[in-house]
Amino acid sequence: MSGRPKPRRGARTLTGHSEEAGGSASLHIPLAEDGSREASRLTQSWKIVISAVSILTLLLIGLGNHMWLQETEFPHKSRQFYALIAEYGSRLYNYQARLRMPKEQLELLKKESQTLENNFREILFLIEQIDVLKALLRDTQDGLHSHSWNVDGDWDQEPPEATDEEMSNLVNYVLKKLREDQVQMADYALKSAGASVIEAGTSESYKNNKAKLYWHRIGFLTYEMPPDIILQPDVHPGKCWAFPGSQGHVLIKLAGRIMPTAITMEHISEKVSPSGNISSAPKEFSVHGISKQCDGEEIFLGQFIYDKTGSTVQTFELQRNVSESLLCVKLKILSNWGHPKYTCLYRFRVHGTPGE
């Protein structure tokens, strides 16, 4: 009986410890929850304070700028600014209107602008030629009269001056001769006579981003001259077909079957070139006939060199005669006179006798 109380005391002590431990745990849990709530409240309050300070700062900056703008006068600059906005708005409206314009009207506008430009250049060219011819005629008349003899055998000191009517008739005669064709042979590669370019057998055109149509200083259409421009007699600076690089080819369907005998290459001179040189002119080129209906084998007709220092119109006799009439001719450009980007062709003619 004396040994039983000892284990009871031990159980009591264990029970007391467990109760104390349970009480301490129950005390620690509410303390942790209270700390997290206080931290979240502090974070939210700091966010509200920072947001309020930021909004007040922005309001103060805006108020300061507003007061500064009211104190400063900008009447002249504001008018210029509004005028500039109105001008660009007008340009944008015109640009959008041009985009909605039908393709036929764009082509018509393009042709009309090119016609006006060509007429203006031709008028300037003719005026310069008339002035040169008048000066040349005066010099010629002075030279002739200075060597003429009068009836008594003395030098004629006062040569009679030509009247304005005589000089005008002479100038018109010379201009008429200048307008006449220098080659004096039929051109079977003339577009108006029925010739055409077969694009499937022709090199691609050179793409030039600077060649644009403008409306109120706004470029709205990029264009390039088509290959069949070389089949037309209009030879003015810029009226040429350009292809990239120094080598290219063009396939031409003639106005009818012929026995080709000669070809003519034409280019502008350096005097009328806007750049002052004609490095884009063709140099070495060859001509080939195409048998059958423009899809047969090539027949070599000759290889030639266009001399840029010679006449602008140069005719070459073919180096080979063919036994059959041809309907198509291929022109191959082998090199130019040094231009690194493109080669320009102004006019190409084909001469011969009509076939059966």
mmCIF file of all heavy atoms in Angstrom, residues 14-39:
data_model
loop_
_atom_site.group_PDB
_atom_site.id
_atom_site.type_symbol
_atom_site.label_atom_id
_atom_site.label_comp_id
_atom_site.label_asym_id
_atom_site.label_seq_id
_atom_site.Cartn_x
_atom_site.Cartn_y
_atom_site.Cartn_z
ATOM 1 N N LEU A 14 2.575 14.935 -14.776
ATOM 2 C CA LEU A 14 2.462 14.878 -16.244
ATOM 3 C C LEU A 14 1.211 15.589 -16.704
ATOM 4 O O LEU A 14 1.208 16.296 -17.716
ATOM 5 C CB LEU A 14 2.429 13.404 -16.695
ATOM 6 C CG LEU A 14 3.742 12.646 -16.545
ATOM 7 C CD1 LEU A 14 3.527 11.166 -16.899
ATOM 8 C CD2 LEU A 14 4.806 13.264 -17.442
ATOM 9 N N THR A 15 0.153 15.404 -15.947
ATOM 10 C CA THR A 15 -1.098 16.065 -16.327
ATOM 11 C C THR A 15 -0.960 17.562 -16.213
ATOM 12 O O THR A 15 -1.426 18.333 -17.059
ATOM 13 C CB THR A 15 -2.230 15.561 -15.430
ATOM 14 O OG1 THR A 15 -2.287 14.152 -15.464
ATOM 15 C CG2 THR A 15 -3.571 16.172 -15.840
ATOM 16 N N GLY A 16 -0.282 17.983 -15.176
ATOM 17 C CA GLY A 16 -0.080 19.431 -15.033
ATOM 18 C C GLY A 16 0.745 19.990 -16.143
ATOM 19 O O GLY A 16 0.451 21.043 -16.687
ATOM 20 N N HIS A 17 1.786 19.292 -16.519
ATOM 21 C CA HIS A 17 2.628 19.775 -17.622
ATOM 22 C C HIS A 17 1.842 19.831 -18.912
ATOM 23 O O HIS A 17 2.002 20.758 -19.708
ATOM 24 C CB HIS A 17 3.853 18.859 -17.770
ATOM 25 C CG HIS A 17 4.875 19.114 -16.699
ATOM 26 N ND1 HIS A 17 5.566 20.302 -16.574
ATOM 27 C CD2 HIS A 17 5.323 18.308 -15.679
ATOM 28 C CE1 HIS A 17 6.405 20.248 -15.567
ATOM 29 N NE2 HIS A 17 6.268 19.026 -15.005
ATOM 30 N N SER A 18 1.029 18.837 -19.140
ATOM 31 C CA SER A 18 0.258 18.824 -20.394
ATOM 32 C C SER A 18 -0.752 19.942 -20.421
ATOM 33 O O SER A 18 -0.993 20.574 -21.446
ATOM 34 C CB SER A 18 -0.454 17.464 -20.560
ATOM 35 O OG SER A 18 -1.374 17.288 -19.493
ATOM 36 N N GLU A 19 -1.359 20.221 -19.240
ATOM 37 C CA GLU A 19 -2.307 21.308 -19.201
ATOM 38 C C GLU A 19 -1.627 22.632 -19.448
ATOM 39 O O GLU A 19 -2.120 23.500 -20.155
ATOM 40 C CB GLU A 19 -3.007 21.310 -17.846
ATOM 41 C CG GLU A 19 -3.955 20.124 -17.659
ATOM 42 C CD GLU A 19 -4.581 20.134 -16.285
ATOM 43 O OE1 GLU A 19 -4.156 21.022 -15.473
ATOM 44 O OE2 GLU A 19 -5.457 19.309 -16.015
ATOM 45 N N GLU A 20 -0.400 22.787 -18.856
ATOM 46 C CA GLU A 20 0.338 24.031 -19.082
ATOM 47 C C GLU A 20 0.730 24.181 -20.549
ATOM 48 O O GLU A 20 0.662 25.272 -21.112
ATOM 49 C CB GLU A 20 1.587 24.047 -18.201
ATOM 50 C CG GLU A 20 1.249 24.169 -16.722
ATOM 51 C CD GLU A 20 2.504 24.107 -15.880
ATOM 52 O OE1 GLU A 20 3.591 23.937 -16.490
ATOM 53 O OE2 GLU A 20 2.410 24.220 -14.653
ATOM 54 N N ALA A 21 1.116 23.059 -21.107
ATOM 55 C CA ALA A 21 1.494 23.130 -22.538
ATOM 56 C C ALA A 21 0.309 23.490 -23.379
ATOM 57 O O ALA A 21 0.397 24.289 -24.311
ATOM 58 C CB ALA A 21 2.074 21.778 -22.983
ATOM 59 N N GLY A 22 -0.860 22.902 -23.090
ATOM 60 C CA GLY A 22 -2.069 23.236 -23.871
ATOM 61 C C GLY A 22 -2.443 24.685 -23.695
ATOM 62 O O GLY A 22 -2.862 25.366 -24.624
ATOM 63 N N GLY A 23 -2.293 25.231 -22.485
ATOM 64 C CA GLY A 23 -2.619 26.627 -22.259
ATOM 65 C C GLY A 23 -1.703 27.554 -23.005
ATOM 66 O O GLY A 23 -2.117 28.556 -23.571
ATOM 67 N N SER A 24 -0.412 27.232 -23.041
ATOM 68 C CA SER A 24 0.539 28.083 -23.781
ATOM 69 C C SER A 24 0.239 28.068 -25.267
ATOM 70 O O SER A 24 0.344 29.067 -25.955
ATOM 71 C CB SER A 24 1.968 27.630 -23.511
ATOM 72 O OG SER A 24 2.131 26.313 -23.991
ATOM 73 N N ALA A 25 -0.152 26.926 -25.813
ATOM 74 C CA ALA A 25 -0.466 26.846 -27.261
ATOM 75 C C ALA A 25 -1.683 27.659 -27.566
ATOM 76 O O ALA A 25 -1.755 28.354 -28.574
ATOM 77 C CB ALA A 25 -0.686 25.379 -27.651
ATOM 78 N N SER A 26 -2.677 27.579 -26.660
ATOM 79 C CA SER A 26 -3.893 28.356 -26.902
ATOM 80 C C SER A 26 -3.617 29.836 -26.810
ATOM 81 O O SER A 26 -4.296 30.646 -27.423
ATOM 82 C CB SER A 26 -4.965 27.923 -25.899
ATOM 83 O OG SER A 26 -4.529 28.226 -24.586
ATOM 84 N N LEU A 27 -2.597 30.268 -26.101
ATOM 85 C CA LEU A 27 -2.257 31.671 -25.992
ATOM 86 C C LEU A 27 -1.479 32.154 -27.229
ATOM 87 O O LEU A 27 -1.643 33.269 -27.685
ATOM 88 C CB LEU A 27 -1.413 31.908 -24.725
ATOM 89 C CG LEU A 27 -2.182 31.814 -23.391
ATOM 90 C CD1 LEU A 27 -1.221 31.922 -22.216
ATOM 91 C CD2 LEU A 27 -3.237 32.909 -23.320
ATOM 92 N N HIS A 28 -0.610 31.326 -27.823
ATOM 93 C CA HIS A 28 0.233 31.735 -28.966
ATOM 94 C C HIS A 28 -0.585 31.905 -30.232
ATOM 95 O O HIS A 28 -0.263 32.715 -31.070
ATOM 96 C CB HIS A 28 1.342 30.701 -29.193
ATOM 97 C CG HIS A 28 2.451 30.863 -28.196
ATOM 98 N ND1 HIS A 28 3.240 32.003 -28.121
ATOM 99 C CD2 HIS A 28 2.902 30.009 -27.242
ATOM 100 C CE1 HIS A 28 4.134 31.843 -27.160
ATOM 101 N NE2 HIS A 28 3.954 30.657 -26.614
ATOM 102 N N ILE A 29 -1.620 31.176 -30.458
ATOM 103 C CA ILE A 29 -2.390 31.227 -31.716
ATOM 104 C C ILE A 29 -3.071 32.565 -31.903
ATOM 105 O O ILE A 29 -2.932 33.221 -32.939
ATOM 106 C CB ILE A 29 -3.404 30.064 -31.747
ATOM 107 C CG1 ILE A 29 -2.656 28.757 -31.880
ATOM 108 C CG2 ILE A 29 -4.423 30.243 -32.859
ATOM 109 C CD1 ILE A 29 -3.546 27.528 -31.735
ATOM 110 N N PRO A 30 -3.809 33.139 -31.000
ATOM 111 C CA PRO A 30 -4.415 34.462 -31.200
ATOM 112 C C PRO A 30 -3.395 35.550 -31.340
ATOM 113 O O PRO A 30 -3.600 36.528 -32.036
ATOM 114 C CB PRO A 30 -5.298 34.635 -29.971
ATOM 115 C CG PRO A 30 -4.786 33.689 -28.961
ATOM 116 C CD PRO A 30 -4.242 32.535 -29.702
ATOM 117 N N LEU A 31 -2.220 35.427 -30.654
ATOM 118 C CA LEU A 31 -1.187 36.453 -30.816
ATOM 119 C C LEU A 31 -0.693 36.522 -32.249
ATOM 120 O O LEU A 31 -0.481 37.610 -32.816
ATOM 121 C CB LEU A 31 -0.028 36.147 -29.855
ATOM 122 C CG LEU A 31 -0.312 36.400 -28.369
ATOM 123 C CD1 LEU A 31 0.882 35.967 -27.518
ATOM 124 C CD2 LEU A 31 -0.634 37.876 -28.137
ATOM 125 N N ALA A 32 -0.477 35.425 -32.980
ATOM 126 C CA ALA A 32 0.003 35.419 -34.371
ATOM 127 C C ALA A 32 -1.031 36.016 -35.307
ATOM 128 O O ALA A 32 -0.721 36.774 -36.233
ATOM 129 C CB ALA A 32 0.324 33.984 -34.796
ATOM 130 N N GLU A 33 -2.318 35.708 -35.058
ATOM 131 C CA GLU A 33 -3.358 36.247 -35.921
ATOM 132 C C GLU A 33 -3.440 37.752 -35.775
ATOM 133 O O GLU A 33 -3.601 38.497 -36.746
ATOM 134 C CB GLU A 33 -4.693 35.595 -35.545
ATOM 135 C CG GLU A 33 -4.766 34.123 -35.921
ATOM 136 C CD GLU A 33 -6.098 33.512 -35.505
ATOM 137 O OE1 GLU A 33 -6.866 34.224 -34.823
ATOM 138 O OE2 GLU A 33 -6.327 32.341 -35.858
ATOM 139 N N ASP A 34 -3.303 38.266 -34.559
ATOM 140 C CA ASP A 34 -3.337 39.709 -34.359
ATOM 141 C C ASP A 34 -2.179 40.410 -35.056
ATOM 142 O O ASP A 34 -2.332 41.497 -35.644
ATOM 143 C CB ASP A 34 -3.305 40.020 -32.850
ATOM 144 C CG ASP A 34 -4.578 39.515 -32.154
ATOM 145 O OD1 ASP A 34 -5.591 39.341 -32.891
ATOM 146 O OD2 ASP A 34 -4.539 39.319 -30.933
ATOM 147 N N GLY A 35 -1.005 39.835 -35.117
ATOM 148 C CA GLY A 35 0.153 40.455 -35.785
ATOM 149 C C GLY A 35 -0.026 40.574 -37.285
ATOM 150 O O GLY A 35 0.318 41.577 -37.902
ATOM 151 N N SER A 36 -0.564 39.517 -37.928
ATOM 152 C CA SER A 36 -0.770 39.566 -39.386
ATOM 153 C C SER A 36 -1.808 40.600 -39.753
ATOM 154 O O SER A 36 -1.683 41.304 -40.758
ATOM 155 C CB SER A 36 -1.186 38.179 -39.890
ATOM 156 O OG SER A 36 -2.415 37.793 -39.294
ATOM 157 N N ARG A 37 -2.840 40.772 -38.943
ATOM 158 C CA ARG A 37 -3.870 41.762 -39.234
ATOM 159 C C ARG A 37 -3.312 43.175 -39.130
ATOM 160 O O ARG A 37 -3.579 44.042 -39.964
ATOM 161 C CB ARG A 37 -5.035 41.589 -38.258
ATOM 162 C CG ARG A 37 -5.857 40.328 -38.512
ATOM 163 C CD ARG A 37 -6.929 40.169 -37.461
ATOM 164 N NE ARG A 37 -7.684 38.936 -37.659
ATOM 165 C CZ ARG A 37 -8.629 38.518 -36.808
ATOM 166 N NH1 ARG A 37 -8.903 39.235 -35.698
ATOM 167 N NH2 ARG A 37 -9.275 37.390 -37.058
ATOM 168 N N GLU A 38 -2.484 43.405 -38.133
ATOM 169 C CA GLU A 38 -1.880 44.731 -37.983
ATOM 170 C C GLU A 38 -0.965 45.056 -39.163
ATOM 171 O O GLU A 38 -0.943 46.184 -39.675
ATOM 172 C CB GLU A 38 -1.072 44.784 -36.667
ATOM 173 C CG GLU A 38 -1.927 44.751 -35.417
ATOM 174 C CD GLU A 38 -2.757 46.016 -35.276
ATOM 175 O OE1 GLU A 38 -2.301 47.062 -35.795
ATOM 176 O OE2 GLU A 38 -3.832 45.972 -34.690
ATOM 177 N N ALA A 39 -0.206 44.069 -39.643
ATOM 178 C CA ALA A 39 0.705 44.311 -40.788
ATOM 179 C C ALA A 39 -0.069 44.643 -42.046
ATOM 180 O O ALA A 39 0.303 45.529 -42.822
ATOM 181 C CB ALA A 39 1.580 43.073 -41.005
#
